[in-house]
Amino acid sequence: MKERLSRPGPKRILALDGGGVRGLLTVGILSELEAELRKRSGRNDYRLCDYFDLIGGTSTGSIIATGLALGMTVAEISALYKTVIPRVFRRFWFQGVGFLRAMFPSGPLATALKAQFGGRTLESSDLRCGLAVHCKRIDTGSAWVLVNHPDWVYYDENKGFRLRDIVQASAAAPHFFRGVMLTLPVPGDADKSVDAFVIDGGVGGYNNPAMELAIAATDPAYGFNWKPGKDNLYILSVGTGFIRERTDARKYRSSTFVGQTLNALRGMINDVSLQQIAYMQAISESQHRWFINSEKADQPTAPYLAPEPLLHYQRYDARIEDVPADRRRAEHAQALLNRELEPDDLKGLVSITNSADANLALLDEIGRRAGQHYVRVAAPPAKFNPW
């Protein structure tokens, strides 16, 4: 692994957002990317772990990232998701009310991750490229990035973590799943250990992990020490569907405290993600910039926070919000599908727990169309081809 990560030449990073079942939209996008890279490389067995030197994700993105880093094809991950999602997001009568305990039992997700990742750890030789899993340690208030680089300053303490445990922790969104207790060795004392309670990385501001991956790739603490620059570092950031949720002010004010808290938390995660996209575009070279808002637009003068681009950055995602036809952009779901969507379909797309077959099929279709769109307008630059 150290030899792979230390090879000369430009480096490629894949960053995968969190978003529950909406990870299927990510998978749809990646299927088109994988097809493009197979065409370029001339190899029908080419996989994303062959192209990207580091793959990192948060929550559902950490599941996809770990599968890809272990050499799974996108088709294999898609099949896994379509099989496992209905089991994971199934509520039982004994779960009780969601605001009193986790909405979903952790057992089905733990079983699925164990079947897929087995007993492999962060130091597993089965990992074919760099891996980063983002989560939040609650007992110490620390946002964690766990990487498999042997020169990471905390590698010796954390290399024994099982992949299935850290991925489950990364996907343990508050209110939906219970967190995971991990046991850490105490440096210098083999007889002592300490417990760490770990939950979803979105709570630590990492739901969109692209910026943190840029830091991990260049900060000596993580061991990679990759050189920045628009010809040296490529980060592809893939979302799970963008929506700016709008709420009637009067209804929001009269809603329950729990409802207000959950809406505020969702809004904060979306705001941080969009803020990070704006920062990344402001320091990077990009082929096709993501529209931020009516004030910043798509930042046509970027990069403007650095005298020279610090990397090449690209965002792939689809907008799944309901807006008038004259305000839609090419990445809106309706434009990608070339058809209108029913209000119930749009409402279903927003939910991160909607495991209905029709919703999963729609997420997959939107993802594939978005992937086709971005491969046309912003495919990975030829200067980053590893062959």
Side-chain angles (χ1 to χ4, degrees), residues 70 114-124 126-127 159-165:
L70 285 169
K114 180 179 180 180
Q116 196 63 51
F117 302 145
R120 297 182 181 93
T121 64
L122 199 58
E123 64 175 340
S124 172
D126 290 338
L127 289 167
K159 64 184 180 181
F161 282 152
R162 293 183 305 195
L163 295 177
R164 71 183 198 237
D165 293 333

PDB file of all heavy atoms in Angstrom, residues 70 114-124 126-127 159-165:
ATOM      1  N   LEU A  70     -11.840  -1.958  -1.927  1.00  0.00           N
ATOM      2  CA  LEU A  70     -11.578  -3.398  -1.861  1.00  0.00           C
ATOM      3  C   LEU A  70     -11.653  -4.055  -3.241  1.00  0.00           C
ATOM      4  O   LEU A  70     -11.477  -5.272  -3.355  1.00  0.00           O
ATOM      5  CB  LEU A  70     -12.576  -4.065  -0.919  1.00  0.00           C
ATOM      6  CG  LEU A  70     -12.321  -3.844   0.578  1.00  0.00           C
ATOM      7  CD1 LEU A  70     -13.519  -4.318   1.397  1.00  0.00           C
ATOM      8  CD2 LEU A  70     -11.049  -4.553   1.035  1.00  0.00           C
ATOM      9  N   LYS A 114     -20.847  -7.140   7.771  1.00  0.00           N
ATOM     10  CA  LYS A 114     -20.026  -8.294   8.120  1.00  0.00           C
ATOM     11  C   LYS A 114     -19.935  -9.271   6.956  1.00  0.00           C
ATOM     12  O   LYS A 114     -18.857  -9.807   6.651  1.00  0.00           O
ATOM     13  CB  LYS A 114     -20.608  -9.001   9.347  1.00  0.00           C
ATOM     14  CG  LYS A 114     -19.802 -10.220   9.788  1.00  0.00           C
ATOM     15  CD  LYS A 114     -20.418 -10.863  11.023  1.00  0.00           C
ATOM     16  CE  LYS A 114     -19.600 -12.082  11.465  1.00  0.00           C
ATOM     17  NZ  LYS A 114     -20.188 -12.735  12.667  1.00  0.00           N
ATOM     18  N   ALA A 115     -21.071  -9.492   6.281  1.00  0.00           N
ATOM     19  CA  ALA A 115     -21.075 -10.412   5.142  1.00  0.00           C
ATOM     20  C   ALA A 115     -20.201  -9.888   4.008  1.00  0.00           C
ATOM     21  O   ALA A 115     -19.564 -10.674   3.296  1.00  0.00           O
ATOM     22  CB  ALA A 115     -22.515 -10.620   4.659  1.00  0.00           C
ATOM     23  N   GLN A 116     -20.149  -8.563   3.843  1.00  0.00           N
ATOM     24  CA  GLN A 116     -19.413  -7.989   2.724  1.00  0.00           C
ATOM     25  C   GLN A 116     -17.936  -7.780   3.031  1.00  0.00           C
ATOM     26  O   GLN A 116     -17.061  -8.052   2.208  1.00  0.00           O
ATOM     27  CB  GLN A 116     -20.052  -6.654   2.320  1.00  0.00           C
ATOM     28  CG  GLN A 116     -19.632  -6.169   0.957  1.00  0.00           C
ATOM     29  CD  GLN A 116     -20.059  -7.124  -0.158  1.00  0.00           C
ATOM     30  OE1 GLN A 116     -21.209  -7.517  -0.238  1.00  0.00           O
ATOM     31  NE2 GLN A 116     -19.120  -7.502  -1.008  1.00  0.00           N
ATOM     32  N   PHE A 117     -17.635  -7.281   4.240  1.00  0.00           N
ATOM     33  CA  PHE A 117     -16.264  -6.898   4.568  1.00  0.00           C
ATOM     34  C   PHE A 117     -15.562  -7.885   5.495  1.00  0.00           C
ATOM     35  O   PHE A 117     -14.345  -7.795   5.681  1.00  0.00           O
ATOM     36  CB  PHE A 117     -16.249  -5.503   5.200  1.00  0.00           C
ATOM     37  CG  PHE A 117     -16.850  -4.435   4.331  1.00  0.00           C
ATOM     38  CD1 PHE A 117     -17.563  -3.379   4.883  1.00  0.00           C
ATOM     39  CD2 PHE A 117     -16.704  -4.479   2.951  1.00  0.00           C
ATOM     40  CE1 PHE A 117     -18.110  -2.394   4.082  1.00  0.00           C
ATOM     41  CE2 PHE A 117     -17.248  -3.496   2.133  1.00  0.00           C
ATOM     42  CZ  PHE A 117     -17.967  -2.448   2.703  1.00  0.00           C
ATOM     43  N   GLY A 118     -16.310  -8.823   6.070  1.00  0.00           N
ATOM     44  CA  GLY A 118     -15.737  -9.849   6.920  1.00  0.00           C
ATOM     45  C   GLY A 118     -14.949  -9.266   8.078  1.00  0.00           C
ATOM     46  O   GLY A 118     -15.344  -8.285   8.700  1.00  0.00           O
ATOM     47  N   GLY A 119     -13.799  -9.870   8.363  1.00  0.00           N
ATOM     48  CA  GLY A 119     -12.961  -9.414   9.467  1.00  0.00           C
ATOM     49  C   GLY A 119     -11.839  -8.496   9.028  1.00  0.00           C
ATOM     50  O   GLY A 119     -10.911  -8.235   9.806  1.00  0.00           O
ATOM     51  N   ARG A 120     -11.877  -8.001   7.794  1.00  0.00           N
ATOM     52  CA  ARG A 120     -10.803  -7.139   7.294  1.00  0.00           C
ATOM     53  C   ARG A 120     -10.673  -5.880   8.154  1.00  0.00           C
ATOM     54  O   ARG A 120     -11.662  -5.310   8.598  1.00  0.00           O
ATOM     55  CB  ARG A 120     -11.067  -6.729   5.845  1.00  0.00           C
ATOM     56  CG  ARG A 120     -11.090  -7.882   4.845  1.00  0.00           C
ATOM     57  CD  ARG A 120     -11.321  -7.325   3.447  1.00  0.00           C
ATOM     58  NE  ARG A 120     -11.393  -8.340   2.421  1.00  0.00           N
ATOM     59  CZ  ARG A 120     -12.526  -8.903   2.010  1.00  0.00           C
ATOM     60  NH1 ARG A 120     -13.690  -8.555   2.554  1.00  0.00           N
ATOM     61  NH2 ARG A 120     -12.509  -9.811   1.057  1.00  0.00           N
ATOM     62  N   THR A 121      -9.446  -5.466   8.329  1.00  0.00           N
ATOM     63  CA  THR A 121      -9.169  -4.281   9.131  1.00  0.00           C
ATOM     64  C   THR A 121      -8.625  -3.160   8.248  1.00  0.00           C
ATOM     65  O   THR A 121      -8.430  -3.331   7.040  1.00  0.00           O
ATOM     66  CB  THR A 121      -8.141  -4.601  10.231  1.00  0.00           C
ATOM     67  OG1 THR A 121      -6.889  -4.948   9.600  1.00  0.00           O
ATOM     68  CG2 THR A 121      -8.618  -5.756  11.109  1.00  0.00           C
ATOM     69  N   LEU A 122      -8.343  -2.038   8.889  1.00  0.00           N
ATOM     70  CA  LEU A 122      -7.845  -0.879   8.156  1.00  0.00           C
ATOM     71  C   LEU A 122      -6.479  -1.153   7.522  1.00  0.00           C
ATOM     72  O   LEU A 122      -6.095  -0.472   6.566  1.00  0.00           O
ATOM     73  CB  LEU A 122      -7.763   0.326   9.111  1.00  0.00           C
ATOM     74  CG  LEU A 122      -7.687   1.723   8.513  1.00  0.00           C
ATOM     75  CD1 LEU A 122      -8.883   2.011   7.616  1.00  0.00           C
ATOM     76  CD2 LEU A 122      -7.600   2.762   9.626  1.00  0.00           C
ATOM     77  N   GLU A 123      -5.743  -2.125   8.023  1.00  0.00           N
ATOM     78  CA  GLU A 123      -4.445  -2.465   7.440  1.00  0.00           C
ATOM     79  C   GLU A 123      -4.538  -3.643   6.468  1.00  0.00           C
ATOM     80  O   GLU A 123      -3.519  -4.185   6.042  1.00  0.00           O
ATOM     81  CB  GLU A 123      -3.443  -2.791   8.542  1.00  0.00           C
ATOM     82  CG  GLU A 123      -3.771  -4.011   9.368  1.00  0.00           C
ATOM     83  CD  GLU A 123      -2.681  -4.379  10.373  1.00  0.00           C
ATOM     84  OE1 GLU A 123      -1.521  -3.942  10.188  1.00  0.00           O
ATOM     85  OE2 GLU A 123      -2.991  -5.091  11.341  1.00  0.00           O
ATOM     86  N   SER A 124      -5.749  -4.053   6.086  1.00  0.00           N
ATOM     87  CA  SER A 124      -5.922  -5.220   5.231  1.00  0.00           C
ATOM     88  C   SER A 124      -5.197  -5.058   3.896  1.00  0.00           C
ATOM     89  O   SER A 124      -5.282  -4.008   3.243  1.00  0.00           O
ATOM     90  CB  SER A 124      -7.413  -5.459   4.966  1.00  0.00           C
ATOM     91  OG  SER A 124      -7.587  -6.477   3.994  1.00  0.00           O
ATOM     92  N   ASP A 126      -6.091  -6.471   1.348  1.00  0.00           N
ATOM     93  CA  ASP A 126      -7.101  -6.535   0.296  1.00  0.00           C
ATOM     94  C   ASP A 126      -7.490  -5.149  -0.207  1.00  0.00           C
ATOM     95  O   ASP A 126      -8.101  -5.027  -1.266  1.00  0.00           O
ATOM     96  CB  ASP A 126      -8.357  -7.252   0.810  1.00  0.00           C
ATOM     97  CG  ASP A 126      -8.133  -8.741   1.020  1.00  0.00           C
ATOM     98  OD1 ASP A 126      -7.203  -9.280   0.406  1.00  0.00           O
ATOM     99  OD2 ASP A 126      -8.882  -9.355   1.798  1.00  0.00           O
ATOM    100  N   LEU A 127      -7.186  -4.109   0.546  1.00  0.00           N
ATOM    101  CA  LEU A 127      -7.452  -2.746   0.092  1.00  0.00           C
ATOM    102  C   LEU A 127      -6.492  -2.415  -1.047  1.00  0.00           C
ATOM    103  O   LEU A 127      -5.279  -2.520  -0.893  1.00  0.00           O
ATOM    104  CB  LEU A 127      -7.281  -1.754   1.246  1.00  0.00           C
ATOM    105  CG  LEU A 127      -8.374  -1.814   2.322  1.00  0.00           C
ATOM    106  CD1 LEU A 127      -7.955  -1.033   3.556  1.00  0.00           C
ATOM    107  CD2 LEU A 127      -9.695  -1.282   1.776  1.00  0.00           C
ATOM    108  N   LYS A 159      -5.010   0.868  13.169  1.00  0.00           N
ATOM    109  CA  LYS A 159      -4.960  -0.055  12.034  1.00  0.00           C
ATOM    110  C   LYS A 159      -5.711  -1.353  12.300  1.00  0.00           C
ATOM    111  O   LYS A 159      -6.109  -2.052  11.364  1.00  0.00           O
ATOM    112  CB  LYS A 159      -3.509  -0.381  11.680  1.00  0.00           C
ATOM    113  CG  LYS A 159      -2.741  -1.126  12.783  1.00  0.00           C
ATOM    114  CD  LYS A 159      -1.289  -1.331  12.391  1.00  0.00           C
ATOM    115  CE  LYS A 159      -0.515  -2.073  13.493  1.00  0.00           C
ATOM    116  NZ  LYS A 159       0.906  -2.258  13.132  1.00  0.00           N
ATOM    117  N   GLY A 160      -5.949  -1.685  13.557  1.00  0.00           N
ATOM    118  CA  GLY A 160      -6.663  -2.914  13.875  1.00  0.00           C
ATOM    119  C   GLY A 160      -8.170  -2.789  13.843  1.00  0.00           C
ATOM    120  O   GLY A 160      -8.881  -3.800  13.990  1.00  0.00           O
ATOM    121  N   PHE A 161      -8.704  -1.583  13.620  1.00  0.00           N
ATOM    122  CA  PHE A 161     -10.156  -1.417  13.525  1.00  0.00           C
ATOM    123  C   PHE A 161     -10.689  -2.227  12.344  1.00  0.00           C
ATOM    124  O   PHE A 161     -10.151  -2.167  11.233  1.00  0.00           O
ATOM    125  CB  PHE A 161     -10.533   0.046  13.309  1.00  0.00           C
ATOM    126  CG  PHE A 161     -10.472   0.882  14.559  1.00  0.00           C
ATOM    127  CD1 PHE A 161     -10.220   2.239  14.460  1.00  0.00           C
ATOM    128  CD2 PHE A 161     -10.685   0.341  15.816  1.00  0.00           C
ATOM    129  CE1 PHE A 161     -10.169   3.037  15.580  1.00  0.00           C
ATOM    130  CE2 PHE A 161     -10.645   1.135  16.949  1.00  0.00           C
ATOM    131  CZ  PHE A 161     -10.378   2.481  16.841  1.00  0.00           C
ATOM    132  N   ARG A 162     -11.757  -2.958  12.586  1.00  0.00           N
ATOM    133  CA  ARG A 162     -12.391  -3.670  11.476  1.00  0.00           C
ATOM    134  C   ARG A 162     -13.128  -2.667  10.593  1.00  0.00           C
ATOM    135  O   ARG A 162     -13.785  -1.747  11.087  1.00  0.00           O
ATOM    136  CB  ARG A 162     -13.365  -4.719  12.008  1.00  0.00           C
ATOM    137  CG  ARG A 162     -12.683  -5.852  12.747  1.00  0.00           C
ATOM    138  CD  ARG A 162     -13.647  -6.920  13.200  1.00  0.00           C
ATOM    139  NE  ARG A 162     -14.742  -6.393  14.023  1.00  0.00           N
ATOM    140  CZ  ARG A 162     -15.545  -7.143  14.761  1.00  0.00           C
ATOM    141  NH1 ARG A 162     -15.383  -8.470  14.777  1.00  0.00           N
ATOM    142  NH2 ARG A 162     -16.502  -6.603  15.480  1.00  0.00           N
ATOM    143  N   LEU A 163     -13.017  -2.891   9.287  1.00  0.00           N
ATOM    144  CA  LEU A 163     -13.668  -1.998   8.339  1.00  0.00           C
ATOM    145  C   LEU A 163     -15.164  -1.935   8.576  1.00  0.00           C
ATOM    146  O   LEU A 163     -15.774  -0.866   8.501  1.00  0.00           O
ATOM    147  CB  LEU A 163     -13.381  -2.454   6.902  1.00  0.00           C
ATOM    148  CG  LEU A 163     -11.919  -2.389   6.444  1.00  0.00           C
ATOM    149  CD1 LEU A 163     -11.777  -2.945   5.038  1.00  0.00           C
ATOM    150  CD2 LEU A 163     -11.395  -0.958   6.516  1.00  0.00           C
ATOM    151  N   ARG A 164     -15.761  -3.072   8.876  1.00  0.00           N
ATOM    152  CA  ARG A 164     -17.208  -3.098   9.053  1.00  0.00           C
ATOM    153  C   ARG A 164     -17.641  -2.252  10.251  1.00  0.00           C
ATOM    154  O   ARG A 164     -18.727  -1.662  10.241  1.00  0.00           O
ATOM    155  CB  ARG A 164     -17.704  -4.533   9.190  1.00  0.00           C
ATOM    156  CG  ARG A 164     -17.348  -5.241  10.486  1.00  0.00           C
ATOM    157  CD  ARG A 164     -17.845  -6.670  10.429  1.00  0.00           C
ATOM    158  NE  ARG A 164     -17.929  -7.316  11.722  1.00  0.00           N
ATOM    159  CZ  ARG A 164     -17.317  -8.447  12.039  1.00  0.00           C
ATOM    160  NH1 ARG A 164     -16.559  -9.045  11.121  1.00  0.00           N
ATOM    161  NH2 ARG A 164     -17.460  -8.984  13.222  1.00  0.00           N
ATOM    162  N   ASP A 165     -16.792  -2.159  11.278  1.00  0.00           N
ATOM    163  CA  ASP A 165     -17.149  -1.383  12.463  1.00  0.00           C
ATOM    164  C   ASP A 165     -17.032   0.121  12.211  1.00  0.00           C
ATOM    165  O   ASP A 165     -17.914   0.897  12.602  1.00  0.00           O
ATOM    166  CB  ASP A 165     -16.252  -1.777  13.634  1.00  0.00           C
ATOM    167  CG  ASP A 165     -16.502  -3.198  14.110  1.00  0.00           C
ATOM    168  OD1 ASP A 165     -17.636  -3.694  13.926  1.00  0.00           O
ATOM    169  OD2 ASP A 165     -15.566  -3.826  14.643  1.00  0.00           O
TER     170      ASP A 165
END
